[in-house]
mmCIF file of all heavy atoms in Angstrom:
data_model
loop_
_atom_site.group_PDB
_atom_site.id
_atom_site.type_symbol
_atom_site.label_atom_id
_atom_site.label_comp_id
_atom_site.label_asym_id
_atom_site.label_seq_id
_atom_site.Cartn_x
_atom_site.Cartn_y
_atom_site.Cartn_z
ATOM 1 N N ALA A 207 92.152 101.450 85.811
ATOM 2 C CA ALA A 207 90.892 101.454 85.145
ATOM 3 C C ALA A 207 90.135 102.716 85.426
ATOM 4 O O ALA A 207 90.439 103.475 86.337
ATOM 5 C CB ALA A 207 90.026 100.219 85.594
ATOM 6 N N MET A 208 89.068 102.955 84.599
ATOM 7 C CA MET A 208 88.190 104.081 84.878
ATOM 8 C C MET A 208 87.175 103.663 85.956
ATOM 9 O O MET A 208 86.867 102.508 86.132
ATOM 10 C CB MET A 208 87.451 104.480 83.619
ATOM 11 C CG MET A 208 88.326 104.755 82.411
ATOM 12 S SD MET A 208 89.467 106.179 82.645
ATOM 13 C CE MET A 208 88.260 107.520 82.331
ATOM 14 N N PHE A 209 86.703 104.666 86.736
ATOM 15 C CA PHE A 209 85.750 104.369 87.816
ATOM 16 C C PHE A 209 84.491 105.285 87.716
ATOM 17 O O PHE A 209 84.607 106.476 87.434
ATOM 18 C CB PHE A 209 86.401 104.742 89.173
ATOM 19 C CG PHE A 209 87.267 103.583 89.706
ATOM 20 C CD1 PHE A 209 88.493 103.322 89.147
ATOM 21 C CD2 PHE A 209 86.890 102.823 90.807
ATOM 22 C CE1 PHE A 209 89.326 102.305 89.633
ATOM 23 C CE2 PHE A 209 87.607 101.789 91.289
ATOM 24 C CZ PHE A 209 88.838 101.543 90.722
ATOM 25 N N THR A 210 83.354 104.629 87.925
ATOM 26 C CA THR A 210 82.086 105.351 88.251
ATOM 27 C C THR A 210 81.744 104.910 89.664
ATOM 28 O O THR A 210 81.633 103.705 89.937
ATOM 29 C CB THR A 210 80.989 105.017 87.297
ATOM 30 O OG1 THR A 210 81.364 105.429 86.001
ATOM 31 C CG2 THR A 210 79.736 105.683 87.636
ATOM 32 N N ILE A 211 81.430 105.852 90.554
ATOM 33 C CA ILE A 211 81.129 105.533 91.912
ATOM 34 C C ILE A 211 79.812 106.191 92.318
ATOM 35 O O ILE A 211 79.689 107.380 92.180
ATOM 36 C CB ILE A 211 82.247 105.982 92.900
ATOM 37 C CG1 ILE A 211 83.616 105.298 92.517
ATOM 38 C CG2 ILE A 211 81.956 105.692 94.296
ATOM 39 C CD1 ILE A 211 84.785 105.819 93.213
ATOM 40 N N ARG A 212 78.877 105.385 92.781
ATOM 41 C CA ARG A 212 77.548 105.876 93.249
ATOM 42 C C ARG A 212 77.405 105.588 94.687
ATOM 43 O O ARG A 212 77.732 104.426 95.135
ATOM 44 C CB ARG A 212 76.414 105.205 92.507
ATOM 45 C CG ARG A 212 76.376 105.518 90.996
ATOM 46 C CD ARG A 212 75.204 104.775 90.321
ATOM 47 N NE ARG A 212 75.154 105.086 88.877
ATOM 48 C CZ ARG A 212 75.936 104.496 87.948
ATOM 49 N NH1 ARG A 212 76.749 103.494 88.332
ATOM 50 N NH2 ARG A 212 75.872 104.804 86.693
ATOM 51 N N VAL A 213 76.993 106.545 95.467
ATOM 52 C CA VAL A 213 76.810 106.373 96.938
ATOM 53 C C VAL A 213 75.461 106.922 97.283
ATOM 54 O O VAL A 213 75.103 108.021 96.997
ATOM 55 C CB VAL A 213 77.889 107.118 97.722
ATOM 56 C CG1 VAL A 213 77.729 106.850 99.193
ATOM 57 C CG2 VAL A 213 79.311 106.719 97.278
ATOM 58 N N THR A 214 74.647 106.050 97.959
ATOM 59 C CA THR A 214 73.354 106.449 98.477
ATOM 60 C C THR A 214 73.445 106.530 100.026
ATOM 61 O O THR A 214 73.950 105.568 100.621
ATOM 62 C CB THR A 214 72.273 105.428 98.099
ATOM 63 O OG1 THR A 214 72.244 105.372 96.638
ATOM 64 C CG2 THR A 214 70.908 105.850 98.615
ATOM 65 N N ALA A 215 73.020 107.614 100.557
ATOM 66 C CA ALA A 215 73.051 107.779 102.034
ATOM 67 C C ALA A 215 71.853 108.587 102.515
ATOM 68 O O ALA A 215 71.191 109.276 101.750
ATOM 69 C CB ALA A 215 74.358 108.608 102.425
ATOM 70 N N PRO A 216 71.475 108.390 103.756
ATOM 71 C CA PRO A 216 70.281 109.098 104.330
ATOM 72 C C PRO A 216 70.456 110.585 104.351
ATOM 73 O O PRO A 216 71.581 111.146 104.275
ATOM 74 C CB PRO A 216 70.182 108.568 105.752
ATOM 75 C CG PRO A 216 71.035 107.300 105.796
ATOM 76 C CD PRO A 216 72.129 107.577 104.771
ATOM 77 N N ASP A 217 69.355 111.323 104.447
ATOM 78 C CA ASP A 217 69.392 112.730 104.591
ATOM 79 C C ASP A 217 70.341 113.150 105.729
ATOM 80 O O ASP A 217 70.419 112.489 106.747
ATOM 81 C CB ASP A 217 67.997 113.262 104.900
ATOM 82 C CG ASP A 217 67.119 113.199 103.646
ATOM 83 O OD1 ASP A 217 67.573 112.970 102.557
ATOM 84 O OD2 ASP A 217 65.821 113.359 103.861
ATOM 85 N N GLY A 218 71.047 114.240 105.526
ATOM 86 C CA GLY A 218 72.011 114.727 106.526
ATOM 87 C C GLY A 218 73.431 114.358 106.186
ATOM 88 O O GLY A 218 74.337 114.895 106.837
ATOM 89 N N TYR A 219 73.579 113.425 105.274
ATOM 90 C CA TYR A 219 74.952 112.957 104.933
ATOM 91 C C TYR A 219 75.310 113.494 103.552
ATOM 92 O O TYR A 219 74.424 113.738 102.685
ATOM 93 C CB TYR A 219 75.040 111.452 104.871
ATOM 94 C CG TYR A 219 75.044 110.826 106.252
ATOM 95 C CD1 TYR A 219 73.861 110.440 106.868
ATOM 96 C CD2 TYR A 219 76.195 110.625 107.009
ATOM 97 C CE1 TYR A 219 73.787 109.862 108.124
ATOM 98 C CE2 TYR A 219 76.173 110.082 108.242
ATOM 99 C CZ TYR A 219 74.961 109.709 108.844
ATOM 100 O OH TYR A 219 74.983 109.166 110.105
ATOM 101 N N THR A 220 76.575 113.670 103.309
ATOM 102 C CA THR A 220 77.097 114.052 102.011
ATOM 103 C C THR A 220 78.136 113.051 101.591
ATOM 104 O O THR A 220 78.964 112.588 102.394
ATOM 105 C CB THR A 220 77.751 115.454 102.003
ATOM 106 O OG1 THR A 220 76.778 116.390 102.415
ATOM 107 C CG2 THR A 220 78.344 115.850 100.686
ATOM 108 N N ALA A 221 78.087 112.581 100.330
ATOM 109 C CA ALA A 221 79.005 111.593 99.800
ATOM 110 C C ALA A 221 79.883 112.310 98.696
ATOM 111 O O ALA A 221 79.349 113.003 97.817
ATOM 112 C CB ALA A 221 78.323 110.417 99.233
ATOM 113 N N VAL A 222 81.178 112.010 98.766
ATOM 114 C CA VAL A 222 82.084 112.559 97.757
ATOM 115 C C VAL A 222 83.036 111.455 97.385
ATOM 116 O O VAL A 222 83.401 110.643 98.286
ATOM 117 C CB VAL A 222 82.910 113.768 98.280
ATOM 118 C CG1 VAL A 222 83.735 114.303 97.162
ATOM 119 C CG2 VAL A 222 81.983 114.846 98.818
ATOM 120 N N ALA A 223 83.398 111.350 96.143
ATOM 121 C CA ALA A 223 84.314 110.314 95.633
ATOM 122 C C ALA A 223 85.293 110.854 94.627
ATOM 123 O O ALA A 223 85.240 112.050 94.316
ATOM 124 C CB ALA A 223 83.535 109.125 95.056
ATOM 125 N N ASN A 224 86.221 109.988 94.150
ATOM 126 C CA ASN A 224 87.235 110.407 93.161
ATOM 127 C C ASN A 224 86.519 110.990 91.915
ATOM 128 O O ASN A 224 85.447 110.554 91.533
ATOM 129 C CB ASN A 224 88.024 109.182 92.721
ATOM 130 C CG ASN A 224 88.592 108.341 93.786
ATOM 131 O OD1 ASN A 224 87.944 107.477 94.283
ATOM 132 N ND2 ASN A 224 89.790 108.656 94.242
ATOM 133 N N GLY A 225 87.193 111.906 91.260
ATOM 134 C CA GLY A 225 86.678 112.430 90.025
ATOM 135 C C GLY A 225 85.694 113.613 90.237
ATOM 136 O O GLY A 225 85.664 114.256 91.272
ATOM 137 N N LEU A 226 84.810 113.803 89.204
ATOM 138 C CA LEU A 226 83.877 114.894 89.232
ATOM 139 C C LEU A 226 82.439 114.360 89.396
ATOM 140 O O LEU A 226 82.130 113.279 88.934
ATOM 141 C CB LEU A 226 83.968 115.654 87.898
ATOM 142 C CG LEU A 226 85.270 116.452 87.693
ATOM 143 C CD1 LEU A 226 85.333 116.962 86.274
ATOM 144 C CD2 LEU A 226 85.364 117.586 88.729
ATOM 145 N N PRO A 227 81.537 115.161 90.027
ATOM 146 C CA PRO A 227 80.223 114.748 90.162
ATOM 147 C C PRO A 227 79.460 114.793 88.826
ATOM 148 O O PRO A 227 79.678 115.709 88.010
ATOM 149 C CB PRO A 227 79.636 115.751 91.164
ATOM 150 C CG PRO A 227 80.453 116.964 90.983
ATOM 151 C CD PRO A 227 81.848 116.463 90.670
ATOM 152 N N THR A 228 78.646 113.805 88.613
ATOM 153 C CA THR A 228 77.847 113.783 87.339
ATOM 154 C C THR A 228 76.382 113.788 87.620
ATOM 155 O O THR A 228 75.579 114.081 86.708
ATOM 156 C CB THR A 228 78.219 112.558 86.497
ATOM 157 O OG1 THR A 228 77.890 111.378 87.247
ATOM 158 C CG2 THR A 228 79.671 112.530 86.163
ATOM 159 N N ASP A 229 75.937 113.432 88.838
ATOM 160 C CA ASP A 229 74.497 113.355 89.127
ATOM 161 C C ASP A 229 74.298 113.386 90.641
ATOM 162 O O ASP A 229 75.076 112.842 91.397
ATOM 163 C CB ASP A 229 73.894 112.149 88.486
ATOM 164 C CG ASP A 229 72.367 112.155 88.538
ATOM 165 O OD1 ASP A 229 71.778 113.239 88.345
ATOM 166 O OD2 ASP A 229 71.770 111.057 88.751
ATOM 167 N N VAL A 230 73.177 114.036 90.996
ATOM 168 C CA VAL A 230 72.685 113.984 92.427
ATOM 169 C C VAL A 230 71.174 113.675 92.294
ATOM 170 O O VAL A 230 70.434 114.421 91.712
ATOM 171 C CB VAL A 230 72.915 115.282 93.155
ATOM 172 C CG1 VAL A 230 72.342 115.195 94.581
ATOM 173 C CG2 VAL A 230 74.413 115.611 93.262
ATOM 174 N N ASP A 231 70.691 112.569 92.898
ATOM 175 C CA ASP A 231 69.358 112.164 92.790
ATOM 176 C C ASP A 231 68.776 111.954 94.180
ATOM 177 O O ASP A 231 69.226 111.121 94.942
ATOM 178 C CB ASP A 231 69.275 110.793 92.026
ATOM 179 C CG ASP A 231 67.843 110.321 91.832
ATOM 180 O OD1 ASP A 231 66.960 111.203 91.862
ATOM 181 O OD2 ASP A 231 67.673 109.126 91.666
ATOM 182 N N ARG A 232 67.789 112.813 94.513
ATOM 183 C CA ARG A 232 67.144 112.726 95.823
ATOM 184 C C ARG A 232 65.835 111.963 95.684
ATOM 185 O O ARG A 232 64.990 112.302 94.808
ATOM 186 C CB ARG A 232 66.903 114.135 96.356
ATOM 187 C CG ARG A 232 68.204 114.866 96.673
ATOM 188 C CD ARG A 232 67.949 116.271 97.160
ATOM 189 N NE ARG A 232 69.191 116.908 97.567
ATOM 190 C CZ ARG A 232 70.025 117.518 96.750
ATOM 191 N NH1 ARG A 232 69.730 117.611 95.458
ATOM 192 N NH2 ARG A 232 71.135 118.060 97.227
ATOM 193 N N ALA A 233 65.669 110.971 96.486
ATOM 194 C CA ALA A 233 64.451 110.165 96.516
ATOM 195 C C ALA A 233 64.098 109.792 97.956
ATOM 196 O O ALA A 233 64.882 109.096 98.642
ATOM 197 C CB ALA A 233 64.654 108.887 95.687
ATOM 198 N N GLY A 234 62.933 110.217 98.360
ATOM 199 C CA GLY A 234 62.442 109.952 99.736
ATOM 200 C C GLY A 234 63.388 110.574 100.720
ATOM 201 O O GLY A 234 63.719 111.825 100.670
ATOM 202 N N ARG A 235 63.961 109.785 101.657
ATOM 203 C CA ARG A 235 64.819 110.373 102.698
ATOM 204 C C ARG A 235 66.281 110.016 102.435
ATOM 205 O O ARG A 235 67.100 109.896 103.345
ATOM 206 C CB ARG A 235 64.382 109.800 104.007
ATOM 207 C CG ARG A 235 63.001 110.221 104.466
ATOM 208 C CD ARG A 235 62.657 109.772 105.829
ATOM 209 N NE ARG A 235 61.327 110.180 106.232
ATOM 210 C CZ ARG A 235 60.774 109.938 107.458
ATOM 211 N NH1 ARG A 235 61.412 109.114 108.310
ATOM 212 N NH2 ARG A 235 59.582 110.384 107.692
ATOM 213 N N ALA A 236 66.614 109.792 101.169
ATOM 214 C CA ALA A 236 68.003 109.469 100.799
ATOM 215 C C ALA A 236 68.404 110.221 99.537
ATOM 216 O O ALA A 236 67.554 110.674 98.768
ATOM 217 C CB ALA A 236 68.170 107.963 100.596
ATOM 218 N N THR A 237 69.729 110.325 99.377
ATOM 219 C CA THR A 237 70.314 110.985 98.202
ATOM 220 C C THR A 237 71.360 110.069 97.561
ATOM 221 O O THR A 237 72.147 109.436 98.331
ATOM 222 C CB THR A 237 70.928 112.311 98.559
ATOM 223 O OG1 THR A 237 69.860 113.187 99.092
ATOM 224 C CG2 THR A 237 71.505 113.029 97.303
ATOM 225 N N THR A 238 71.406 110.007 96.283
ATOM 226 C CA THR A 238 72.460 109.269 95.565
ATOM 227 C C THR A 238 73.325 110.195 94.815
ATOM 228 O O THR A 238 72.855 111.010 94.001
ATOM 229 C CB THR A 238 71.855 108.227 94.626
ATOM 230 O OG1 THR A 238 71.036 107.319 95.341
ATOM 231 C CG2 THR A 238 72.954 107.473 93.917
ATOM 232 N N TRP A 239 74.642 110.141 95.111
ATOM 233 C CA TRP A 239 75.622 110.985 94.369
ATOM 234 C C TRP A 239 76.401 110.056 93.420
ATOM 235 O O TRP A 239 76.747 108.939 93.750
ATOM 236 C CB TRP A 239 76.627 111.588 95.368
ATOM 237 C CG TRP A 239 76.127 112.618 96.280
ATOM 238 C CD1 TRP A 239 76.200 113.958 96.116
ATOM 239 C CD2 TRP A 239 75.441 112.391 97.549
ATOM 240 N NE1 TRP A 239 75.597 114.647 97.165
ATOM 241 C CE2 TRP A 239 75.132 113.692 98.065
ATOM 242 C CE3 TRP A 239 75.064 111.297 98.264
ATOM 243 C CZ2 TRP A 239 74.462 113.882 99.277
ATOM 244 C CZ3 TRP A 239 74.382 111.470 99.450
ATOM 245 C CH2 TRP A 239 74.116 112.760 99.957
ATOM 246 N N THR A 240 76.683 110.563 92.272
ATOM 247 C CA THR A 240 77.474 109.809 91.254
ATOM 248 C C THR A 240 78.705 110.598 90.861
ATOM 249 O O THR A 240 78.617 111.819 90.543
ATOM 250 C CB THR A 240 76.612 109.508 89.999
ATOM 251 O OG1 THR A 240 75.452 108.797 90.383
ATOM 252 C CG2 THR A 240 77.405 108.684 89.016
ATOM 253 N N TYR A 241 79.837 109.960 90.847
ATOM 254 C CA TYR A 241 81.099 110.550 90.472
ATOM 255 C C TYR A 241 81.790 109.713 89.424
ATOM 256 O O TYR A 241 81.664 108.434 89.469
ATOM 257 C CB TYR A 241 82.081 110.689 91.638
ATOM 258 C CG TYR A 241 81.576 111.674 92.678
ATOM 259 C CD1 TYR A 241 80.670 111.347 93.663
ATOM 260 C CD2 TYR A 241 82.073 113.020 92.709
ATOM 261 C CE1 TYR A 241 80.151 112.251 94.588
ATOM 262 C CE2 TYR A 241 81.623 113.930 93.660
ATOM 263 C CZ TYR A 241 80.659 113.542 94.562
ATOM 264 O OH TYR A 241 80.202 114.470 95.499
ATOM 265 N N ARG A 242 82.484 110.362 88.482
ATOM 266 C CA ARG A 242 83.262 109.588 87.485
ATOM 267 C C ARG A 242 84.659 110.169 87.352
ATOM 268 O O ARG A 242 84.861 111.400 87.435
ATOM 269 C CB ARG A 242 82.567 109.599 86.149
ATOM 270 C CG ARG A 242 81.310 108.794 86.015
ATOM 271 C CD ARG A 242 80.827 108.651 84.611
ATOM 272 N NE ARG A 242 79.714 107.694 84.548
ATOM 273 C CZ ARG A 242 78.431 108.107 84.580
ATOM 274 N NH1 ARG A 242 78.145 109.410 84.617
ATOM 275 N NH2 ARG A 242 77.448 107.228 84.547
ATOM 276 N N THR A 243 85.624 109.297 87.138
ATOM 277 C CA THR A 243 86.985 109.695 86.860
ATOM 278 C C THR A 243 87.122 109.934 85.324
ATOM 279 O O THR A 243 86.417 109.308 84.524
ATOM 280 C CB THR A 243 87.991 108.654 87.340
ATOM 281 O OG1 THR A 243 87.871 107.490 86.547
ATOM 282 C CG2 THR A 243 87.894 108.324 88.768
ATOM 283 N N ARG A 244 88.008 110.830 85.030
ATOM 284 C CA ARG A 244 88.332 111.063 83.644
ATOM 285 C C ARG A 244 89.674 110.510 83.241
ATOM 286 O O ARG A 244 90.132 110.619 82.114
ATOM 287 C CB ARG A 244 88.335 112.597 83.351
ATOM 288 C CG ARG A 244 86.952 113.230 83.415
ATOM 289 C CD ARG A 244 86.900 114.678 83.012
ATOM 290 N NE ARG A 244 85.596 115.194 83.049
ATOM 291 C CZ ARG A 244 85.312 116.522 82.825
ATOM 292 N NH1 ARG A 244 86.320 117.372 82.534
ATOM 293 N NH2 ARG A 244 84.066 116.975 82.949
ATOM 294 N N HIS A 245 90.348 109.906 84.185
ATOM 295 C CA HIS A 245 91.661 109.303 83.952
ATOM 296 C C HIS A 245 91.654 107.943 84.663
ATOM 297 O O HIS A 245 91.000 107.750 85.713
ATOM 298 C CB HIS A 245 92.805 110.173 84.490
ATOM 299 C CG HIS A 245 92.874 111.526 83.862
ATOM 300 N ND1 HIS A 245 93.729 111.743 82.764
ATOM 301 C CD2 HIS A 245 92.215 112.631 84.079
ATOM 302 C CE1 HIS A 245 93.544 113.032 82.403
ATOM 303 N NE2 HIS A 245 92.647 113.550 83.161
ATOM 304 N N PRO A 246 92.375 106.972 84.160
ATOM 305 C CA PRO A 246 92.441 105.631 84.847
ATOM 306 C C PRO A 246 93.019 105.724 86.216
ATOM 307 O O PRO A 246 93.860 106.635 86.492
ATOM 308 C CB PRO A 246 93.302 104.762 83.874
ATOM 309 C CG PRO A 246 94.143 105.790 83.098
ATOM 310 C CD PRO A 246 93.226 106.960 82.964
ATOM 311 N N MET A 247 92.668 104.822 87.060
ATOM 312 C CA MET A 247 93.064 104.865 88.475
ATOM 313 C C MET A 247 93.316 103.475 89.011
ATOM 314 O O MET A 247 92.686 102.546 88.632
ATOM 315 C CB MET A 247 91.971 105.528 89.308
ATOM 316 C CG MET A 247 92.191 105.668 90.778
ATOM 317 S SD MET A 247 90.924 106.682 91.607
ATOM 318 C CE MET A 247 89.555 105.594 91.556
ATOM 319 N N ALA A 248 94.331 103.358 89.856
ATOM 320 C CA ALA A 248 94.658 102.086 90.568
ATOM 321 C C ALA A 248 93.618 101.907 91.636
ATOM 322 O O ALA A 248 93.172 102.848 92.259
ATOM 323 C CB ALA A 248 96.024 102.103 91.099
#
Side-chain angles (χ1 to χ4, degrees):
M208 307 296 281
F209 277 73
T210 298
I211 301 174
R212 296 178 180 84
V213 183
T214 301
D217 288 348
Y219 289 90
T220 299
V222 184
N224 312 88
L226 292 171
T228 62
D229 190 37
V230 178
D231 181 26
R232 294 178 175 84
R235 297 183 178 181
T237 301
T238 300
W239 291 263
T240 302
Y241 292 82
R242 287 193 176 94
T243 64
R244 292 185 179 176
H245 298 265
M247 180 170 72

